[in-house]
Amino acid sequence: MVDSLVSLAIEKLDKFLEDEVALLVGVTKELRKLSSAFTAIKAVLEDAETRRLKETSVKDWLQKLKDVAYDIDDILDEWATEALKSQGDEDDQSHCCNIKVQNILSSFSCFGHVVFRHRIGNKIKDAWERLEEIEKEKNGLHFKMDNAEKPHEIGERETTSQVDTSTMVGRENERNEIVKLLLNEIRDEVKEVPIVISIVGMGGLGKTTLAQLAYNGEDVKGHFDMRMWVCVSEDFDVKRITKSIIQSATGTGCESLDLDQLQRRLHEMLHGKRFLLVLDDIWSEDSEKWDKLRLPFQAGALGSRIIVTTRSEKVAFAMGRGHMHKLAVLSDDDCWLVFRRKALEHQSAEEHSELEAIGKEIVKKCGGVPLAAKTIGSVMCSRRTRREWELVLQSDLWNSHDVLQGILPALLLSYHDLPPALKQCFAYFSIFPKDWEIKKDMIVKLWVAQGFIRSRDMEETGGLYFDDLLRRSLLQDAELDADKNVLWWKMHDLVHDLAQSVAGSDCSLVEMRKQSSLNLNNLRHLFLIDSYDAGDRDWATLYEAQKLRTLLCDSRISRVPNNLFHHFRHLRALDLSHASIQKLPRTLGKLKHLRYLDLSRTNIVELPEEVSNCRNLQTLILNRCFQLKKLPRGLRNMIGLRHLELEDTDELKYLPQGIGKLSSLRTLTKFIVGGDDEGCKWGELKHLNHLQGSLLITGFENVRSRDEAREAELNKKQYLHSITFEYEYVPMDDESSGDEASGDDEQKRTEEVLEILQPHTNLKELEIQSYGGSKLPKWTEDPVFSNLVNVTLRECNKCKQLPGLGKLPSLKYLEIRGMKEVRKVGGEFSGDDNNDGSGGGVVSFPKLESLSFIFMKNWEEWELRGGDDGEVMPSLLELRIQYCPKLQALPSNLPPLLQKLTLCGSDVGMSSGVPLPDLPNLNHLVIA
C-alpha cells in the first residue's frame, strides 16, 4: 500500500519538474531531492511491508513515510488546483479539454498569488526535511532490496501429499467430483494430454486438503502409473518445478542438470504412462511459463491429469482449457465439527453440552472458512468454563492477534501477490462495515477520487481492478445483472480483517459517541455511524482528524455543522447520501481537493453556488433528491466533472447553461431541454460524445424546431447503452381542446424531432414515454439496431398502430403500456410492412422472451402474423396482458415454448367464452 503512495508522489514530482514550474516557487532543488529520496526508499518497501507485522520500529517508520507521501500529494494537488482555478477564470474553452497536471501548470505563471507561492514553497521544504530524517532512519533498519530473498514465514509455504483424513469435514461431495474427473474418460471438447483440473478458492478454504484427499484415494492410486506432488507457491520457476516433479516421482535429486536435460529426462519418465501431478498453490498467471513447463507432460498417456490449486481464476485460465472447481465455504454445521475437534478435544461430555451452544455462535463468526474454525478452536482449547467462552463471544477477540496470527499468514500471501495499485484499492475496503453490500460502480469512483487509479480511462481500469480482486477470491457474494456484470458484492469477514490489518490507522469505522478514546491524527478514511441527532460537541471531537480524505456518513445524520469543512480541508470523497439534511454549508466550496460528492436521497432544495468552486470534482451524485430545484450556475466551470447523476429529480426543471463545456463527462443521467431564457439547449449535447450508460431526455415542450434538435447529434453517442425520451404527459381527455390546426402542426413537429433524434446503433435499451405523435419514428423498427434488447413504450396515446418491432434481431424484452388509440395489433407489429403475409418466411421477434401489454383500454384484436410461413416469437417464454378490457381472445398460434401467462383485468380467458390456446409448456398461469 505504501508502495503505491510513494509511486504516486514520484510521478507527480517528476511531472512538476518536467514543466519547470518549480522555478516559479523556488523549490526546484527540494522537488528533485524529494523525488530522488522517494525512489531510493521505494526499493526497500517490499521488505518493509513484510517486516511491519512483527517489528514496531518498521511499522512506525512506514507510518512516517505514509504521512509525508500523503502530504506531498496534498501540496502538489493544491498547487495544481490553484493553476486550474486560474485557467477556469480565463474562461478559455481550449483549456477545458485536458486537465492533466503538465497542461494545467502551464498557466501557473499567469496568477500572481505571491503569498500562495510562498506558502507552497515552505510546505515543500518542510516535507523534504521530514523525508530526509526518514531516509536516515531507513539506513539503520537494514532493509533488503526488493530483489532480495523473501523471509520464509511470509513468502513461502510448503505442502505435502500426506493428509489426515480424520480432519476432513464437509468436502465429501467435492472430493467425489474431483475423483470422478480423475478416473473417468472425459467426453467433451477437452482433448488435451494431460487435462488440467483447477481447484480455486480464497485462502483457508481447504483447497490443498481437498487435493490431498483425491490424490491419496485408493481408487486413484490404482488408476495411475505414476503420481507426483509439488508445492509451487509464489516462485514459478520452471527449472525448480521440473526438478521437484522428477524428485517426487523418483525420490532422487538431479541438481546438476540444466533445464533441457531435466525436461528430456522427465519426458522419458512420463512417456506412455498415465500420470497424476498435483501442482499445489500456484500464483503465477504467466501462460508462457506454463507452456514451457508443460512440454514434457505431453508424452503421457491418454487419461493423465494435473490438479492445480490456486486462489486466482486467472491462474486457472492461464493453464489452458480444462475443468475449474470453485471451492465454496463450509456450512455452519460442518464448520462446527472442525471447531469442536480443536476446542473440545480434551473436554468431558458434560463440559461439551454446556459449551456447545456458545461454541456454535462463535463458529458463525468464522464465515464457513475451515482455517478460521480450526485456528479459533485452537485458541478456545485452553478455555474451559462457560464464562470464559461467553467472554470470547462478546469480546473484541476477533480483531486480536492471537486469533488472526493463524489466519493472516494464509491470507497475506493473497495480499502480497497484488500489484502495488491493487494493494491500495484492497486496503480501502476496510473503511466499510463488515457484511456491507458495496456497489462496484461506487467503489471504483471512490478509488478514482483517491488517486488510486491513474490512467486515461480511469473507470474502465478500476473495473478491471475490481474484477481482478474478485477472481483472486478476495471478494465474494457478488450479485450480477442480466448481462453478468457485477452490481454489488461483500467481503468475507476474515478478508476484511486482513484489509484492516494492512490499512492500519489509515481507515476506520467510528461510532459518533464512542470516538473519545481513538487517536484520529493519522486517520485518512472514515466511515461514520450512529450519528443521529449528533450535536456540535459530538462533531467537534472529530475535528482532530484534519488529514481526512474520505468521510462516509450513515443514513441517520440529520445536520452538517457550518464549520465542518473548515476542519476537513483535505477531503477527496464525501458521502452524505440518505441523510435527512435540507441545506449544505457554503463552506463546502472550500474543499479544493474534493473529487466525489454523494448527496443522493437527501432533502436538499438547491446546491450552494460555492460548490462550483470545487474545480476538481469528478463525481456529483444527486439521485432521488426529490426536492432539488436548482443546480449552481457555475457548474460549467467544473471542467473535471466526469459523472453527474440526476435520476428521479422531478422538481429540477432545467440545467444551468454551459453543460456542453464539460467535455470530460462520462455520465449524465438526465438532460432537460431548456426554454428561451434559461437552461440548456440541444447544442449542449453536441460535444459530449464520451457519455456512457443511461440518459433520460426531457423538456420536449421547449423544442422549437427539428434543426435545433439536430444539434444534439445523438447518433454520435456510441457509448450510451440506454436512452429514455420522456415527453410531458397530456391526458387524452384534454387533447380535443384548442385549435385543431395548431394541434396538427405540433404533432407533426413532435414526429419530426423524434425522427431526427435517432441514437447510435450501439443502443441496448430504449424507452419512449408520453410521446405526442401519431406514429413512432421509422428508426425504432430498423434492423440496424442489432444491439437493442429492451424496448418500452409508455402512454404514447396518439399512436394508432404499433411499430414493426419484430424486425429487431436481438430484442428480448418488450413492454407496451397505454397506447389508447390502438385497436388492432396485426402483421405490421411483426414487421410485415404490407400487413398481408408477404414477409417471405422471415422470423419475426426471433429473440423475444418477455412481452407485456398493459392498460390498452381500446385494444380489441390481436392477430399474430409474420410473413409467409415465417415464425413469430419462437423464443417467447412469458406473456403478460393486464387491464386490456376489450381484448376478447388470444391468438391461437401463440408460440409453444410459452411457460408463463398472466391475464389480469380483461375478458381473455374469463367471461369472453373463447378458450385459451393449447400451450404444452405452460407451467405458470395467473388469471385475475
Side-chain angles (χ1 to χ4, degrees):
M1 178 177 172
V2 183
D3 192 318
S4 185
L5 285 172
V6 171
S7 297
L8 176 62
I10 295 170
E11 182 181 325
K12 284 194 171 183
L13 287 165
D14 290 346
K15 283 182 179 178
F16 274 69
L17 286 167
E18 284 172 9
D19 284 81
E20 299 182 352
V21 294
L23 291 171
L24 296 171
V25 185
V27 291
T28 306
K29 183 178 179 181
E30 283 77 11
L31 289 183
R32 287 203 175 103
K33 288 193 295 185
L34 281 167
S35 179
S36 177
F38 274 130
T39 302
I41 288 171
K42 190 175 185 294
V44 303
L45 286 181
E46 188 170 345
D47 185 45
E49 285 277 15
T50 301
R51 292 167 53 184
R52 175 181 65 87
L53 292 176
K54 292 190 174 181
E55 299 181 40
T56 303
S57 58
V58 174
K59 181 179 178 181
D60 293 342
W61 181 81
L62 282 172
Q63 183 61 55
K64 294 177 186 176
L65 178 62
K66 277 201 300 185
D67 289 343
V68 173
Y70 274 127
D71 290 347
I72 283 293
D73 186 41
D74 285 338
I75 293 167
L76 299 184
D77 194 59
E78 184 178 354
W79 190 349
T81 301
E82 191 68 21
L84 183 64
K85 182 170 182 272
S86 296
Q87 262 189 332
D89 292 341
E90 293 172 8
D91 198 25
D92 186 347
Q93 175 66 33
S94 65
H95 288 300
C96 295
C97 298
N98 195 331
I99 59 169
K100 290 184 178 179
V101 172
Q102 59 264 43
N103 293 329
I104 295 172
L105 297 177
S106 61
S107 66
F108 189 79
S109 58
C110 298
F111 62 85
H113 295 57
V114 177
V115 174
F116 174 81
R117 295 204 300 269
H118 179 72
R119 180 161 55 87
I120 287 290
N122 285 340
K123 286 184 177 182
I124 291 173
K125 290 174 183 177
D126 176 68
W128 159 242
E129 290 174 1
R130 290 161 57 201
L131 188 60
E132 190 176 29
E133 290 298 317
I134 291 169
E135 193 173 22
K136 290 177 183 177
E137 288 184 41
K138 178 198 75 172
N139 299 329
L141 292 170
H142 307 293
F143 292 118
K144 296 175 183 177
M145 302 293 282
D146 280 355
N147 293 328
E149 184 180 354
K150 298 177 185 178
H152 173 80
E153 61 268 25
I154 295 296
E156 298 180 14
R157 170 178 171 264
E158 191 166 357
T159 63
T160 172
S161 63
Q162 302 304 304
V163 62
D164 179 3
T165 57
S166 66
T167 64
M168 190 59 182
V169 173
R171 298 298 188 198
E172 291 78 13
N173 291 336
E174 287 159 301
R175 184 262 181 199
N176 292 337
E177 282 185 47
I178 300 298
V179 169
K180 184 177 180 180
L181 291 172
L182 293 177
L183 301 183
N184 294 350
E185 293 300 328
I186 301 174
R187 296 180 177 87
D188 57 15
E189 72 280 3
V190 181
K191 299 299 182 184
E192 298 177 356
V193 175
I195 289 175
V196 178
I197 301 165
S198 302
I199 302 174
V200 182
M202 63 172 283
L205 281 184
K207 301 182 297 295
T208 297
T209 308
L210 180 58
Q212 289 167 338
L213 281 171
Y215 183 90
N216 288 291
E218 292 301 323
D219 43 359
V220 172
K221 289 180 180 178
H223 184 75
F224 293 96
D225 301 317
M226 185 180 296
R227 295 181 307 130
M228 297 150 287
W229 180 289
V230 174
C231 179
V232 178
S233 197
E234 291 183 279
D235 182 20
F236 196 102
D237 181 86
V238 174
K239 184 176 180 180
R240 179 185 67 81
I241 297 170
T242 306
K243 282 182 182 180
S244 298
I245 294 171
I246 294 173
Q247 187 167 349
S248 178
T250 65
T252 59
C254 43
E255 296 296 327
S256 61
L257 303 180
D258 60 26
L259 179 59
D260 179 67
Q261 293 170 322
L262 289 167
Q263 290 203 325
R264 282 193 283 112
R265 181 171 176 181
L266 183 56
H267 184 279
E268 293 170 2
M269 289 170 48
L270 300 179
H271 183 70
K273 294 182 179 178
R274 185 162 57 194
F275 67 86
L276 170 61
L277 169 63
V278 175
L279 297 175
D280 187 40
D281 199 24
I282 291 188
W283 294 81
S284 175
E285 300 166 358
D286 190 339
S287 59
E288 291 184 5
K289 287 184 177 180
W290 166 244
D291 289 339
K292 186 182 293 185
L293 176 67
R294 72 186 300 170
L295 289 174
F297 302 155
Q298 298 170 12
L302 191 67
S304 295
R305 302 284 189 265
I306 295 179
I307 294 178
V308 168
T309 71
T310 180
R311 303 180 188 200
S312 170
E313 290 183 22
K314 274 189 174 181
V315 172
F317 293 137
M319 296 295 163
R321 297 162 67 190
H323 295 267
M324 181 165 61
H325 181 87
K326 292 186 180 181
L327 204 58
V329 296
L330 292 180
S331 67
D332 283 347
D333 289 342
D334 287 331
C335 222
W336 161 250
L337 296 177
V338 175
F339 172 87
R340 186 179 66 182
R341 284 175 181 166
K342 287 292 182 181
L344 301 174
E345 184 178 6
H346 304 294
Q347 308 283 37
S348 66
E350 182 178 344
E351 290 173 318
H352 278 207
S353 61
E354 187 175 1
L355 301 176
E356 184 169 329
I358 305 170
K360 288 183 176 179
E361 290 300 311
I362 292 174
V363 162
K364 289 180 181 178
K365 295 178 178 289
C366 297
V369 178
L371 175 61
K374 180 180 177 181
T375 304
I376 296 171
S378 298
V379 173
M380 301 305 297
C381 182
S382 60
R383 292 165 168 81
R384 308 292 293 264
T385 68
R386 179 184 179 87
R387 179 58 180 160
E388 286 177 312
W389 280 47
E390 287 175 340
L391 288 173
V392 169
L393 179 61
Q394 298 163 6
S395 75
D396 295 329
L397 178 69
W398 312 103
N399 297 318
S400 67
H401 182 68
D402 58 341
V403 171
L404 294 179
Q405 64 180 348
I407 302 167
L408 284 182
L411 297 179
L412 273 172
L413 287 172
S414 297
Y415 172 74
H416 282 294
D417 186 61
L418 296 174
L422 270 183
K423 287 181 178 177
Q424 201 170 23
C425 294
F426 173 74
Y428 192 78
F429 290 144
S430 64
I431 190 176
F432 299 102
K434 289 184 177 180
D435 292 323
W436 198 261
E437 294 180 359
I438 305 174
K439 293 181 179 178
K440 176 182 178 180
D441 179 68
M442 173 192 183
I443 195 67
V444 168
K445 287 173 181 173
L446 286 171
W447 286 342
V448 170
Q450 297 303 328
F452 297 165
I453 302 170
R454 302 185 295 280
S455 67
R456 183 172 182 177
D457 299 316
M458 293 184 286
E459 293 82 6
E460 183 177 350
T461 301
L464 294 175
Y465 283 5
F466 179 93
D467 293 341
D468 198 358
L469 291 169
L470 196 62
R471 282 191 293 267
R472 292 170 184 264
S473 304
L474 290 171
L475 307 177
Q476 67 172 28
D477 293 344
E479 180 168 305
L480 309 179
D481 63 14
D483 295 323
K484 306 299 182 184
N485 298 311
V486 176
L487 297 175
W488 59 265
W489 53 273
K490 287 183 181 180
M491 177 175 278
H492 191 282
D493 283 0
L494 296 179
V495 181
H496 189 279
D497 290 337
L498 171 64
Q500 286 182 319
S501 175
V502 298
S505 59
D506 278 12
C507 301
S508 184
L509 178 73
V510 174
E511 295 185 44
M512 177 67 87
R513 293 171 179 83
K514 295 183 180 180
Q515 51 180 295
S516 57
S517 60
L518 296 175
N519 181 0
L520 304 178
N521 287 324
N522 293 317
L523 188 61
R524 307 286 177 171
H525 309 292
L526 169 64
F527 193 111
L528 188 63
I529 61 174
D530 192 25
S531 54
Y532 180 72
D533 263 352
D536 289 342
R537 184 173 299 177
D538 297 312
W539 282 101
T541 57
L542 276 178
Y543 296 159
E544 184 182 340
Q546 296 201 7
K547 298 177 181 179
L548 209 59
R549 287 173 164 236
T550 303
L551 178 58
L552 311 181
C553 299
D554 72 358
S555 59
R556 290 176 290 180
I557 183 174
S558 57
R559 60 182 294 269
V560 178
N562 287 328
N563 63 344
L564 181 68
F565 303 120
H566 285 299
H567 300 277
F568 297 151
R569 294 291 185 91
H570 299 285
L571 277 180
R572 279 156 167 76
L574 175 62
D575 186 346
L576 298 173
S577 60
H578 297 78
S580 56
I581 56 174
Q582 296 179 321
K583 191 175 181 181
L584 287 168
R586 295 183 182 276
T587 52
L588 182 64
K590 298 289 186 181
L591 301 180
K592 296 181 180 181
H593 305 282
L594 194 66
R595 263 82 171 172
Y596 178 98
L597 177 59
D598 188 352
L599 299 170
S600 56
R601 292 186 182 272
T602 59
N603 298 322
I604 58 171
V605 176
E606 65 177 273
L607 288 179
E609 188 62 38
E610 287 79 3
V611 170
S612 59
N613 293 329
C614 301
R615 302 295 176 89
N616 282 308
L617 196 66
Q618 297 167 337
T619 299
L620 177 57
I621 305 176
L622 298 165
N623 297 331
R624 295 169 187 82
C625 290
F626 300 114
Q627 300 179 45
L628 180 67
K629 295 182 178 180
K630 185 179 178 182
L631 296 177
R633 294 189 305 275
L635 191 69
R636 63 184 177 183
N637 296 323
M638 301 167 69
I639 60 176
L641 199 63
R642 299 172 69 87
H643 308 283
L644 177 57
E645 301 185 22
L646 299 166
E647 295 176 13
D648 296 324
T649 52
D650 292 344
E651 292 298 312
L652 186 65
K653 301 304 181 184
Y654 68 93
L655 299 180
Q657 295 178 0
I659 291 289
K661 294 183 178 181
L662 306 181
S663 56
S664 295
L665 268 183
R666 297 300 190 268
T667 304
L668 177 63
T669 57
K670 183 177 184 178
F671 183 80
I672 308 169
V673 183
D676 292 333
D677 301 324
E678 60 184 5
C680 294
K681 304 299 186 290
W682 282 111
E684 300 269 13
L685 280 174
K686 182 174 183 178
H687 298 291
L688 302 183
N689 289 332
H690 295 293
L691 290 181
Q692 303 171 358
S694 303
L695 174 64
L696 165 68
I697 301 177
T698 186
F700 283 91
E701 66 274 10
N702 297 318
V703 179
R704 296 291 173 258
S705 70
R706 62 181 183 179
D707 291 335
E708 180 184 340
R710 188 174 281 110
E711 295 181 15
E713 296 187 353
L714 285 188
N715 61 335
K716 295 183 179 179
K717 311 295 186 282
Q718 59 179 313
Y719 305 112
L720 282 176
H721 77 255
S722 175
I723 291 182
T724 298
F725 296 102
E726 183 180 270
Y727 290 75
E728 186 177 23
Y729 178 70
V730 179
M732 286 288 290
D733 294 339
D734 296 336
E735 289 170 2
S736 59
S737 60
D739 182 68
E740 185 174 340
S742 176
D744 290 342
D745 291 342
E746 175 68 20
Q747 184 170 292
K748 182 179 179 181
R749 182 181 60 81
T750 299
E751 293 168 1
E752 289 176 342
V753 167
L754 190 56
E755 190 70 57
I756 285 170
L757 292 175
Q758 177 175 335
H760 194 277
T761 55
N762 285 349
L763 196 70
K764 293 182 178 180
E765 299 180 5
L766 171 67
E767 180 171 341
I768 301 176
Q769 184 172 328
S770 302
Y771 171 66
S774 63
K775 59 182 179 180
L776 286 157
K778 293 295 291 182
W779 57 260
T780 59
E781 57 185 55
D782 192 336
V784 73
F785 283 89
S786 58
N787 296 297
L788 199 56
V789 297
N790 195 330
V791 172
T792 303
L793 305 177
R794 294 176 183 265
E795 310 300 339
C796 300
N797 288 326
K798 292 187 178 181
C799 292
K800 298 183 184 302
Q801 72 175 35
L802 300 179
L805 300 176
K807 298 177 183 178
L808 299 175
S810 302
L811 186 63
K812 287 186 177 181
Y813 311 101
L814 175 58
E815 179 181 315
I816 299 171
R817 180 185 292 262
M819 308 290 281
K820 297 176 182 178
E821 287 291 290
V822 173
R823 286 171 169 76
K824 179 180 179 180
V825 175
E828 78 291 342
F829 181 49
S830 299
D832 181 5
D833 293 332
N834 300 317
N835 204 8
D836 60 1
S838 60
V842 176
V843 177
S844 299
F845 295 105
K847 298 287 183 66
L848 190 66
E849 296 178 6
S850 177
L851 174 62
S852 299
F853 295 101
I854 304 171
F855 290 115
M856 296 179 64
K857 70 177 186 179
N858 292 311
W859 182 28
E860 299 173 353
E861 183 181 352
W862 182 12
E863 183 179 356
L864 192 60
R865 186 177 68 191
D868 281 343
D869 300 322
E871 284 188 275
V872 184
M873 304 181 188
S875 304
L876 191 66
L877 300 175
E878 180 179 3
L879 173 63
R880 288 194 306 156
I881 298 178
Q882 296 176 289
Y883 308 107
C884 302
K886 295 185 179 181
L887 183 65
Q888 298 296 307
L890 297 178
S892 61
N893 60 333
L894 280 177
L897 282 180
L898 193 68
Q899 297 176 3
K900 185 175 181 179
L901 176 61
T902 301
L903 302 170
C904 296
S906 68
D907 286 341
V908 177
M910 291 177 285
S911 60
S912 66
V914 180
L916 293 177
D918 183 31
L919 299 169
N921 292 296
L922 195 68
N923 56 39
H924 187 94
L925 175 63
V926 176
I927 298 179

